[in-house]
Amino acid sequence: MLKERGVTIEEMAKLVYELQKDYEDISIETAIFNIEKVLSKREVQNAILTGIQLDILAEKNLLEEPLLSMIKKDEPLYGIDEILALSITNVYGSIGFTNYGYIDKMKFGIIGKLDKLGKTTDKVNTFLDDLVGGIVAAACARIAHSKGEPN
């Protein structure tokens, strides 16, 4: 579903690399490995499925008001999109939470692209941009937790 919505593991890995390169001796391969580990967790998969489905339903106008408008507009005080993303970041502890806050504010790479598409086209990416941020933050946290261990 991520790929169908325009998100690749490689684009997420680029963000992990950029965020970790000053702290770790990291390669894109290590970033990809850690993204894949995050994506292998059932609770992460469930969060992704739920968020993407809500975005798709909103695109098709299949949600009732006022929820439809809140999701389509990515209403700042809605916040459930961030809560779903935080369920991903928490898989690897509180460092994921702080990583996510930074990523969500800065909107790097694919996250910024998804956010802009959701605000300038008929695409609804209210959940998707935050989910991707959560995945990237969790992968960064996983790297921090595995410092000194083999990947």
Side-chain angles (χ1 to χ4, degrees):
M1 288 185 88
L2 287 169
K3 192 179 289 186
E4 289 171 11
R5 300 292 288 182
V7 178
T8 65
I9 289 174
E10 292 76 17
E11 288 201 68
M12 290 186 286
K14 287 178 194 174
L15 289 177
V16 171
Y17 174 81
E18 286 301 318
L19 291 165
Q20 293 298 294
K21 69 181 182 182
D22 292 338
Y23 306 103
E24 302 282 337
D25 183 18
I26 186 174
S27 65
I28 287 291
E29 292 76 21
T30 298
I32 289 171
F33 175 83
N34 283 281
I35 291 283
E36 289 173 342
K37 286 295 191 182
V38 169
L39 291 173
S40 73
K41 295 203 162 280
R42 175 67 74 196
E43 61 254 61
V44 171
Q45 294 167 12
N46 291 341
I48 293 167
L49 290 171
T50 301
I52 290 176
Q53 281 297 312
L54 286 166
D55 281 346
I56 291 169
L57 289 170
E59 280 177 5
K60 294 178 179 181
N61 295 314
L62 294 174
L63 297 171
E64 293 189 24
E65 293 294 352
L67 184 60
L68 177 63
S69 293
M70 291 180 340
I71 292 176
K72 285 182 102 171
K73 293 177 186 172
D74 197 359
E75 191 69 40
L77 294 177
Y78 175 60
I80 305 304
D81 47 335
E82 284 87 5
I83 297 300
L84 202 55
L86 289 172
S87 73
I88 294 172
T89 66
N90 288 333
V91 170
Y92 292 102
S94 60
I95 191 169
F97 180 81
T98 58
N99 287 340
Y100 174 74
Y102 179 66
I103 291 166
D104 189 44
K105 180 166 179 53
M106 301 307 291
K107 304 223 183 291
F108 301 108
I110 184 70
I111 297 166
K113 190 183 305 180
L114 292 169
D115 183 64
K116 184 176 180 181
L117 277 172
K119 289 179 170 60
T120 60
T121 70
D122 290 340
K123 276 279 199 214
V124 176
N125 290 329
T126 297
F127 284 88
L128 185 59
D129 65 329
D130 291 306
L131 292 167
V132 171
I135 294 163
V136 169
C140 291
R142 186 178 190 285
I143 290 168
H145 279 282
S146 63
K147 190 172 178 116
E149 296 177 13
N151 290 329

